[in-house]
Structures are given as C-alpha cells and as structure tokens.
C-alpha cells in the first residue's frame, strides 16, 4: 500500500482546508473561522492518527503472516529430518543437571531461599509450562515464570494486540498493535530473560488440537476469558494428567485454585453444570482493573512454581477468593474429587473431548456476538436515525450503565440504565413524556444488544408507541456517522 | 423452609455475580439450626434473586464447601455463609 501517497494527500487536504479558512477572513468572522479551522485540523489530526495506527496494525499482521509461513516451512523441514532419523530436540528434551554462572548470578536471590535452592532452580530450568490466554492473567503469569527461570514456556492465544488491552495486558506495547498476542508476549519475555525458550501457539484451542498442544508440557495455566475453554482445558488436563492452575478475574474480583493435582478436584467436580450464558459477564462488558488480573496472574505463576519445585502447600482442594474492593483474601475449602464426576472419577462418562461451545451454549471467545431479538425492519440504522429522526422531537434513551454513559454520549440522550428499564423505575422519570403516543422513542447502547432487550420491554408496556433501537449502537455511530465519536 | 424449631441469624457473603443479583456484598438471614442444604439453597435463591445461577454456585458454610445438597447443616448464631459463583474472565 502506498502509505506515503495517502499521507501526502491528506496533508494537502489539511492545508487546503486551512487556506480556504484563511482566505477572506474579516475581523468579524476571525474568531469563528479560527475555531472552525482548529476543529477541522483536530478532526484531520484524529483521522491521520487513526489511519497511522491502522496501518501499523496491518503491518504487524503481515509480519505475523510471514513469521507463520517461515515457521511452517522450518517445521516441515524438521519433520522431514525426523523421518530420516535425525534427532529432533523436543521442548524439555535436554535435561540440565548444572547451573551456569549466569544462572547463579541471575537467580541468586531465589537460589538462597532454603526450600528452593539449586535443586529448585534446576527443576524450573527443566520444566515446561503452557499458558493459555495471553491477556490480563497470562501476561503477569508468563512474566514471573520467565523471570524466575522456567526453561520452556508455551503461549496460546488466537487474538491480536489492540489498544484496549494495554491497561492490564502488560507485556504488549503500542508498537505491537495488530501483532499476535503470543508473538508480542514472546518478544517482551525474551527481553526479560533470553534463556527462556518460548513456543507460540497463535491459534484458538479446540478439542481437536488441545491434546496435541498440551501433551508436551508439565503444568498448564488457565488464563482464559471464557467458560467453554475452561471446561475444555480441565477435561484435557484430566485426560493427560496435568495439574491445571486456574485463575480468573472480573471487575474487582479474582479467583484462583489448582485443579487435578493430588487428590484435588477438577473443574467439573466443582461446577458440573455450566452457567447460563446470561449469567456470564466478560471483561469487555463488565470491566476489570489491571491490578486485579495482575494479582491473580502473579499468584498463578507462584502456584506453578510450587507445583514444579515441590515446595509449600499447593492451592489444591482450596479456592482463593480475592475481593479487590475490600482487599480481603479468603480460602474456601472445596471438595476433593467428586466420586461420580463425569470426568475425573474412576468410571468417567466422558472419555474424549466434546464440543464445549455446544455444551456451554456460548462461544469460546470474549468477542461479542450480535444478539438478534428483533427483526431488522423493526429497528433503525444509525443513518436512518441521523437523517430522519435526530432533528425532530423524539425521546433518545441510552440504556448503558452510568459509568459508560459518562465516557461519551449523543446529544439529547437521556441515560436510563437497562436495569431501570427492566424494573420499571424509569416510569417515574419519563412517565410524563411517554404519555405522548406521537413521540418516537429511540433506544441505544454500545453495540445494539441491550437496546433490543429494552425495546422488547418498552413495547410490552407501550404497544402503540413507535419504539425503535439503533442497529450496532454507538459503535455503528462512530463507523458510519461521526468518526470522532470515541470507541471503547 | 421449615419454620418450626429454633432459628439463628447467620451472615451471608455474596461474591461476583451473586453480589450483583443480591444487590449487596453482605446480608444476614434467619435459618433453622438444622436444615438440608437444598432447603437452604432454595431459601437463599428466592430471598436474594439468585435463580439464574442456582445450579452454578459454590455454597460455603464457615469457609467450607457444602459438598452435597442432601447434607443436613447445623447452624450456630453468627455462622457465615458464602455464595460463590464461578468467574470466567481473564
């Protein structure tokens, strides 16, 4: 793509705008024109910055494709050599029996720990840990494991780095936007400790590849963001007899335990039935503080080190609950293996990996999938709203939470969070306005999902009113109407 | 819930989703000194609006998981119950 040509055209466009604005300036219009020019320059600046960020992201993606291509070529070559009988060094293939001088200098502060010592360091050096999910939990976990001298790390993530990751996914950086998260983490980790061998699995974990990927590792860390993958990992770890250090976090809360270790339970022993999709909130919708995922992720690294080295009391058969808002840690004694567990009991009913998205009734990503409760012809596109309704009298209700409404909002919008629609408390505030049957009511939210629930509720109460919601919500507003409207 | 017999007041702590549904991090509830786990669960679910997560939570009595819903639970005044649904974010 001729990057420079686009940029130059845009710069010329900016200059044209400036010139037009300067020409014919009279004293009376000077201030207005200057404000107009500033706003034109502002929007041009925003657009240029956004385009540069997009171009950088697609450059990183192309580089990623190249790396994957080269990886697959070298893998094919190595496989061919293996067939011929040459030794293939698998991860963890070489057993280290001595520490180098560099090891001793680098790890001195943990080497002098009486329980850890040289033997502990050697066990770490010979260990391999698989981290599934390079997000808010995976980043700090990987950071402490690499820094502590874990010899081999496997990193699984299908996703790419984006700006909304940075506040908690602390291995990624601005200039690696668009790069695979596993690859971005590998670069950061190798800067931290070049002796750590890192293998990237830049793909989604599925029932058909999970056993193959997990098999080569000693310990697995569940740093994922969704329910189906949690069941998949637990089942696969039971089958392969791998300890699973499971962490999770949302909002100000965190949970941590080690499954499938000793006589401890597996995930299914504790949660035999997956929660209904509507009871599950992801970080993209519920929010999360980086220091909370950081706390849990760092403790996942600690539990993995204890499992590998064999020190301390591993957090198996106990669930740690962290309430970040009051900074209280609680340990709940959970059960040992459930005698009739479908997975880890002596007579398991499940003997191979299943379809976990179907089992849980939800997708194995934290990406939002559009809800379809109302047919499209009974909804409004943002263009239709902008063209036909915005200038006329109407009632625009934004059903997002107040904290989200404060981030950005359309002019004229009234904030009535969805819960207040569902429990009818909005009637107190808007009852008067809603008496007018001729007044169009338009509901909106961030992506156009919650607004549909609100429409259904309002239509039941006001069946003769014109009630619509905006398809795609504020995200569609930014992409189709106003590129300067912020996206979160 | 069987209202006969002695009743004690116990603390209930709500975590994660249950805190949102109950709309509070903590509360108290009157329970019989002896009750089955199922009855206890049903009581908590209806009193605090936890229907959507009834089958997906850990119920802990004095920081110990209640293993079996058919277990009988003995309560003393001031005991602590915790309602802990799974978190899945990361």
């Amino acid at each position: 793509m001729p990057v420079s040509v686009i940029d130059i055209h845009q710069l010329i466009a900016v200059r044209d705008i400036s010139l037009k604005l300067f020409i014919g300036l009279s004293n009376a219009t000077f201030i207005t024109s200057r404000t107009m020019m500033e706003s034109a320059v502002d929007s041009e600046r925003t657009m240029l910055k956004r385009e540069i960020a997009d171009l950088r992201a697609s450059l990183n993606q192309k580089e990623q494709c190249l790396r994957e291509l080269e990886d697959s070529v070298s893998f094919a070559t190595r496989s061919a050599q293996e067939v011929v009988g040459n030794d293939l060094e698998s991860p963890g293939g070489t057993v280290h029996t001595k520490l180098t001088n560099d090891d001793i200098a680098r790890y001195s502060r943990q080497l002098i720990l009486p329980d850890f010592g040289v033997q502990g360091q050697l066990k770490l050096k010979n260990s391999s840990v698989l981290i599934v999910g390079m997000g808010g939990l995976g980043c700090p976990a990987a950071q402490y494991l690499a820094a502590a001298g874990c010899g081999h790390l496997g990193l699984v993530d299908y996703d790419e780095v984006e700006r909304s990751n940075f506040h908690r996914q602390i291995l990624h950086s601005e200039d690696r936007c668009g790069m695979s998260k596993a690859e971005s983490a590998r670069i950061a980790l190798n800067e931290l400790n070049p002796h750590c061998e890192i293998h990237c699995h830049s793909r989604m974990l599925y029932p058909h590849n999970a056993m193959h990927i997990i098999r080569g590792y000693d310990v697995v860390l569940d740093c994922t963001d969704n329910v189906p993958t949690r069941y998949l990992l637990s089942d696969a770890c039971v089958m392969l007899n791998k300890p699973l250090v499971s962490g999770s976090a949302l909002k100000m809360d965190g949970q941590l335990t080690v499954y499938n270790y000793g006589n401890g339970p597996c995930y299914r022993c504790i949660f035999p039935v997956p929660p209904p999709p509507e009871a599950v909130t992801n970080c993209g919708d519920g929010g999360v503080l980086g220091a909370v995922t950081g706390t849990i992720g760092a403790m996942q690294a600690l539990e993995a080190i204890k499992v590998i080295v064999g020190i301390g009391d591993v957090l198996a058969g106990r669930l740690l609950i962290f309430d970040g808002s009051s900074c209280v840690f609680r340990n709940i004694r959970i059960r040992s293996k459930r005698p009739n567990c479908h997975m880890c009991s002596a007579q398991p009913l499940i003997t191979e990996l299943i379809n976990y998205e179907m089992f849980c009734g939800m997708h194995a990503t934290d990406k939002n999938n559009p809800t379809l409760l109302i047919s499209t012809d009974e909804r409004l596109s943002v263009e239709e709203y902008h063209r036909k309704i915005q200038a006329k009298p109407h009632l625009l209700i934004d059903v997002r939470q107040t904290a989200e409404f404060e981030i950005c909002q359309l002019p004229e919008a009234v904030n009535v969070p969805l819960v207040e629609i569902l429990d009818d408390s909005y009637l107190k505030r808007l009852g008067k306005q809603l008496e007018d049957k001729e007044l169009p009511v338009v509901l909106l939210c961030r992506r156009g999902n919650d607004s549909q629930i609100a429409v259904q509720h309002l239509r039941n109460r006001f069946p003769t009113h014109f009630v619509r919601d905006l398809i795609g919500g504020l995200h569609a507003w930014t992409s189709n109407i106003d590129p300067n409207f912020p996206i979160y | 819930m069987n209202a006969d017999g002695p009743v004690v007041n116990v603390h209930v702590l709500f975590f994660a989703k249950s805190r949102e549904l109950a709309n509070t991090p903590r509360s108290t509830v009157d329970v019989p000194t002896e009750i089955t786990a199922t009855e206890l669960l049903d009581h908590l679910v209806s009193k605090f609006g936890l229907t959507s997560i009834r089958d997906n939570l850990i119920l802990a009595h004095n920081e110990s998981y209640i293993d079996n819903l058919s277990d009988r639970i003995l309560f003393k005044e001031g005991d602590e119950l915790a309602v802990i649904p799974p978190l899945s974010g990361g």
Side-chain angles (χ1 to χ4, degrees), chain A residues 113-144:
Chain A
L113 283 174
D115 288 344
F116 190 83
V118 172
Q119 288 315 311
Q121 193 65 56
L122 281 170
K123 282 181 187 165
L124 262 187
K125 191 170 179 171
N126 287 316
S127 73
S128 58
V129 177
L130 183 70
I131 304 176
V132 185
M134 287 315 296
L137 300 167
C139 283
Q143 205 168 20
Y144 278 109

Side-chain angles (χ1 to χ4, degrees), chain A residues 135-137 168 224-227 230 248-251 253-255 267 269-271 273-276 278-281 283 293 319 321 323 330-335 338, chain B residues 13-17 19-21 25-26 51-69 80-90:
Chain A
L137 300 167
R168 68 188 192 285
T224 62
D225 55 11
N226 67 85
V227 183
R230 290 186 180 272
S248 56
L250 183 72
K251 299 186 180 180
D253 291 312
Q255 292 179 357
Y267 191 58
C269 293
I270 307 298
F271 302 111
V273 184
E278 64 275 14
V280 178
T281 313
C283 293
T293 49
L319 173 70
I321 299 172
D323 175 358
R330 276 167 194 277
N331 253 276
I332 304 290
R333 280 182 299 280
I334 48 177
R335 57 171 316 127
R338 187 185 284 272
Chain B
L13 305 172
F14 297 100
F15 293 92
K17 189 78 185 176
R19 192 187 300 143
E20 280 172 42
L21 294 171
R26 62 186 65 238
T51 316
S52 62
I53 53 169
R54 185 194 184 277
D55 299 327
N56 325 96
L57 48 81
I58 290 176
L59 197 55
H61 174 214
N62 292 339
E63 305 203 333
S64 267
Y65 178 75
I66 298 176
D67 252 10
N68 201 325
L69 284 180
E80 184 190 270
L81 280 170
V83 179
I84 310 156
L87 278 184
S88 54

Side-chain angles (χ1 to χ4, degrees), chain A residues 47-62:
Chain A
M47 229 168 72
L48 283 171
K49 279 186 179 168
R50 188 168 293 170
E51 273 186 43
I52 289 169
D54 288 348
L55 288 168
R56 193 169 280 143
S58 52
L59 175 68
N60 282 332
Q61 267 166 9
K62 295 278 174 214

Side-chain angles (χ1 to χ4, degrees), chain A residues 88-374:
Chain A
L88 180 74
E89 202 175 289
S90 62
T94 329
V95 177
H96 301 279
T97 52
K98 280 177 89 171
L99 296 179
T100 63
N101 283 358
D102 180 77
D103 289 337
I104 292 169
R106 177 181 284 266
Y107 306 117
S108 59
R109 297 300 187 272
Q110 63 194 38
L111 280 173
I112 57 174
L113 283 174
D115 288 344
F116 190 83
V118 172
Q119 288 315 311
Q121 193 65 56
L122 281 170
K123 282 181 187 165
L124 262 187
K125 191 170 179 171
N126 287 316
S127 73
S128 58
V129 177
L130 183 70
I131 304 176
V132 185
M134 287 315 296
L137 300 167
C139 283
Q143 205 168 20
Y144 278 109
L145 284 169
C150 175
H152 309 270
L153 283 181
L155 313 177
V156 184
D157 206 307
Y158 68 93
D159 208 359
E160 283 145 11
V161 176
E162 55 178 274
R163 256 183 303 177
S164 67
N165 302 148
F166 297 142
H167 82 113
R168 68 188 192 285
Q169 305 183 10
I170 49 173
L171 289 175
H172 309 310
S173 63
E174 192 87 34
D175 61 347
R176 294 203 287 270
C177 261
M179 191 185 284
S180 123
K181 282 190 182 175
E183 190 59 36
S184 161
R186 189 184 64 79
I187 294 169
L189 292 168
N190 273 147
E191 275 176 20
L192 195 64
N193 190 346
H195 305 299
C196 182
E197 264 184 46
I198 295 171
H199 192 89
C200 294
H201 306 270
S202 296
R203 55 196 139 149
M204 207 149 142
L205 202 68
Y206 284 113
H208 67 258
N209 64 13
M211 299 292 273
H212 179 70
I213 292 176
I214 295 171
R215 202 181 300 274
Y217 295 89
D218 305 322
V219 179
V220 180
L221 264 57
D222 185 344
C223 300
T224 62
D225 55 11
N226 67 85
V227 183
T229 313
R230 290 186 180 272
Y231 279 98
L232 164 62
L233 271 179
S234 176
D235 287 359
C237 284
V238 170
M239 287 179 180
L240 294 166
N241 201 19
K242 310 279 182 194
L244 176 64
V245 184
S246 171
S248 56
L250 183 72
K251 299 186 180 180
M252 301 283 274
D253 291 312
Q255 292 179 357
L256 175 72
T257 188
V258 181
Y259 290 119
N260 202 39
Y261 181 79
N263 195 34
C266 74
Y267 191 58
R268 278 184 194 269
C269 293
I270 307 298
F271 302 111
V273 184
E278 64 275 14
V280 178
T281 313
N282 64 35
C283 293
D285 288 336
V288 66
L289 214 57
V292 173
T293 49
T295 304
I296 300 295
M299 286 196 289
Q300 284 185 276
L302 174 60
E303 289 309 304
I305 291 170
K306 283 159 61 186
V307 167
I308 292 161
V309 176
I311 48 170
D313 282 332
V314 172
L315 189 74
R318 288 179 292 149
L319 173 70
L320 179 100
I321 299 172
F322 173 52
D323 175 358
S325 61
S326 54
C327 205
V328 171
F329 287 88
R330 276 167 194 277
N331 253 276
I332 304 290
R333 280 182 299 280
I334 48 177
R335 57 171 316 127
S336 49
K337 284 183 192 300
R338 187 185 284 272
N340 59 351
C341 176
H342 286 180
M343 195 65 217
C344 73
S345 64
Q347 276 91 36
L349 291 178
I350 304 167
T351 51
E352 56 184 27
L353 300 180
I354 58 171
N355 182 331
Y356 293 88
E357 294 193 318
M358 212 189 273
F359 172 63
C360 299
M362 52 192 125
H363 290 283
T365 70
D366 75 336
K367 306 281 179 236
N368 281 77
N369 297 287
T371 313
L372 285 174
L373 299 174
I374 302 173

